[in-house]
Every structure is written in C-alpha cells, then in structure tokens.
Amino acid sequence: MKSVQTIGVIGGGQLGRMFALDAKRMGYHVITLDPQQHSPCGQVADEQIVASYDDLAAIDELGRRSDVVTYEFENIAIESVRYLERHSYRVTPSSHVLEVTQNRLAEKRLARECGLPTAEFVPIRAPEDLAEAVRTVGFPAVLKTVLGGYDGKGQWRVESTREAEAALAAASAAELIFERLIPLRKELSVIATRDSHDRSVAYPVAENTHDRGILAMTIAPARVDPSIAAEAREMAATIGRRLAIVGTYCVELFLSSNDELLVNEIAPRPHNSGHYTIDVTQCSQYEQQVRAICDLPLSPPRMLSNAIMMNILGDGRGDRLDGVPELLSDPAIVLHVYGKRHAVARRKMGHFTMLVDGPIDEAAIERARTALAKLHWEA
Ligand SMILES: Nc1ncnc2c1ncn2[C@@H]1O[C@H](COP(=O)(O)OP(=O)(O)O)[C@@H](O)[C@H]1O
Ligand SMILES: [Mg+2]
C-alpha cells in the first residue's frame, strides 16, 4: 500500500478536530469537508472544503486530493462513501459499516446476529404497527427515529399507549423503533481500534453518565467486576470483526439492573467517551484511528492514570467561557475547547479530563463536579 501523506475527513466537528490534531502531530496533511466555514476541525486542519456532505463534486475533490478518507460523524450521506468506493478512492470504515451503524434497526439486528443481546425492539413503519409493538415490548419504552438521531435527539420515553401515540405523531419520521426502556445499573462503552489485518486493540471499559440523552461524565476505567469488563470488551471485538471495521469504533452498552450486558449503539468512529484517552494514555483513540487507516501498527493502550471526563455544554446564555482560571487551579485538570462560536443550549462546547490517582471514588467524582460548576457562559 502506498504510504499516506494526506488524510481526508468528512465532517468538521470536535471529533474531527481532535483526530486532525493527532494526525498533524504525526506529520500528515489533513483536509476536512464540512458545510460550515471555520468548523472546529477546519480550524486545525491544513484545508477545509466548504460543502455539504452529499455534494459529490466536493466529495470527489476530497477523494482525489487525499490518500485515504475517513469520517468523524455517522449522519453523513451514505452515497458519499459509496461514491468514493466506486471510484476506487480509499475510504474507511466502509460504506457497509456506515450503513449498519447509522440505522438503529440494522445495528440491533447485527448485534443479535452476533449472538449479543439488545433491548427488545419492534420496528414501526406505520401507526398500525404500534399495537403489536406494545404487545411485544410493553412499557416503559423509548420510541426512537431509526435514522439521524444523536445526543438523545429524536427519542421519546413513553409509559402508555396514549403517550406512544402522541410521540408517534410528534416524530413524523418514516421509520421508528420501539424499544424497551432498560432499568440501568450503569452505562458502559468500549472504544476499540481494528486494522485491515484483523489486529485490534481496546481501551479499558468506560462508565458513562448521561443527562437527558447527552453524555455528561465518563469514568475510566469503569467501576465494574472484571468479568463484566472482559465480557464487554469481547462483545466489542466480536462486532468489530463481524463488520470488518478498519478504524476506531465504539460500542455503547447497557448494564441492566440484573447485571446483563446489552448492546445499545455502535459508532464507527472515535467517541465522546474516549476523549480521556488523549490525556491519560500513550496513544489516544484518535491516533489509533490514524494508525489504522494509514496501515501503521496499532499501539496497545497503557493507562498512565485513571480519569474522569466532564463534558462542557452550552446553555444559551452567552458564548464566552468564564471561570477557566478557577478550573485550572486544579493541576489535575486538562481543558479542551472546540472552537465553536455559539454556545447554544446543550451543545457540546468542550470537555475536561481530571487525572485521578488511585481508584475513582465518590470524592473524586465530587471534585470533578465541583470543578465543572466553576465554569459559566457569559454574554
Ligand atoms: N432502551 C433504553 N433503555 C434505557 N435507557 C435508554 C434506552 N435507550 C436510550 N437510553 C438512554 O438515552 C441515551 C441516548 O440514547 P442512544 O440510543 O444511545 O442514542 P443517541 O446516543 O444516538 O442519542 C442512552 O445513553 C441512555 O442513557
Ligand atoms: Mg448513544
């Protein structure tokens, strides 16, 4: 394989930005494609093609000018990845991986084909399908759009047929999934990277706390029994192999109140719950992605410290982040800000990693929460 000099990235968000920062450190030329000028990734990449994700002329230009193309976001047009494949441009992960992971039904069916449990679900294509879904799945349940959802968007928790009907009317999506609401002990995620020779590496299982569908905090490693952690990593490896993913990916899992592990989602890219790997491992999830797509050896992760990652969300009150000196008075904290101009309510604006010596206990979590509370958005 010809050695890579230029990497193309479809999508210009924070995941692309952190990928580009690592790729740049390793000497690569990075071109991103995003409709928004000066996107978070565009600010640190060598170049940005300003175009929508389904603009095939722009996608062709990206393919032509890159030695390999990847994407940092799964809600891009599948046709763009197929186009690159058809025209023999190198792109990874494949359109097959994207097709499965952007569709909640396909994702759950794939997990089941691998013999891995998921929450019970029934597809809803027409209002008439609801009665059957209620009979099979019951309540409480979550109704989700099959395509396009992220950060809890496009989901409705429902406890009765009346609520489900209202959600169905509000959803106005062609395809929905009616899913059992799982009583959760914990939410876990496994970040892994696989290369084209079927070699893979995985980070320790992480433990995630969400607030209204958006990741709020990640604790790494997860405070779970080693047998559960091993099973979670095995599940992620099975999925990676089955999909023949080349790159970094994430499997989100539910640990139910009766200690069963269920596959929730598969992300074909680095993941918010793996940001901590930048600060406390020798090779971040982004660098592993660079290595996988450039056909370089993967680096079995070493945890140099335990970590708590806190997301910094916008609140709509202003675009200037205040309290940074107070936050950084704690020397265990590493701050990352994504360069987004407007701190719209609940938008992911940045995060920090708090390095933790020894096991992560309630005092450490409280310290991270107190640190987050020092930050405010000002007009
Ligand atoms: N079936 C479910 N049971 C319990 N909690 C759920 C379920 N589905 C979603 N959630 C909660 O909502 C969050 C977001 O849902 P998810 O399916 O991961 O969608 P996305 O992350 O794409 O918005 C999950 O991390 C979890 O906290
Ligand atoms: Mg999710």
Side-chain angles (χ1 to χ4, degrees), residues 257-270:
S257 53
N258 54 4
D259 278 337
E260 195 189 3
L261 276 171
L262 306 169
V263 174
N264 173 36
E265 276 200 293
I266 309 161
R269 49 163 174 81

Side-chain angles (χ1 to χ4, degrees), residues 70-71 73-74 93 97-98 101 245 248-250 266-270 289:
T70 189
Y71 43 89
F73 180 53
E74 61 269 34
V97 172
L98 182 61
T101 55
I245 297 177
T248 293
Y249 64 100
C250 174
I266 309 161
R269 49 163 174 81
Q289 165 90 351

Side-chain angles (χ1 to χ4, degrees), residues 41-102:
C41 181
Q43 293 165 22
V44 304
D46 293 282
E47 294 171 71
Q48 177 175 339
I49 297 172
V50 179
S52 67
Y53 308 131
D54 61 355
D55 177 340
L56 292 183
I59 290 287
D60 188 83
E61 182 189 343
L62 184 69
R64 211 170 349 100
R65 297 180 55 204
S66 307
D67 299 307
V68 62
V69 175
T70 189
Y71 43 89
E72 58 103 46
F73 180 53
E74 61 269 34
N75 293 322
I76 59 169
I78 183 99
E79 189 44 37
S80 297
V81 177
R82 289 202 185 116
Y83 177 94
L84 292 168
E85 287 172 343
R86 255 199 327 273
H87 291 78
S88 302
Y89 295 124
R90 266 174 65 199
V91 57
T92 183
S94 68
S95 61
H96 170 65
V97 172
L98 182 61
E99 191 176 14
V100 172
T101 55
Q102 64 180 202

Side-chain angles (χ1 to χ4, degrees), residues 196-211:
S196 59
H197 314 285
D198 192 31
R199 288 186 288 244
S200 65
V201 295
Y203 292 90
V205 178
E207 173 183 340
N208 302 316
T209 305
H210 292 82
D211 172 29

Side-chain angles (χ1 to χ4, degrees), residues 1-7 26-29 65-68 90 290-291 293-296:
M1 195 170 87
K2 186 170 136 253
S3 80
V4 172
Q5 292 188 320
T6 301
I7 303 176
M26 296 169 81
Y28 293 99
H29 190 86
R65 297 180 55 204
S66 307
D67 299 307
V68 62
R90 266 174 65 199
V290 172
R291 289 175 177 235
I293 71 175
C294 296
D295 211 25
L296 297 172

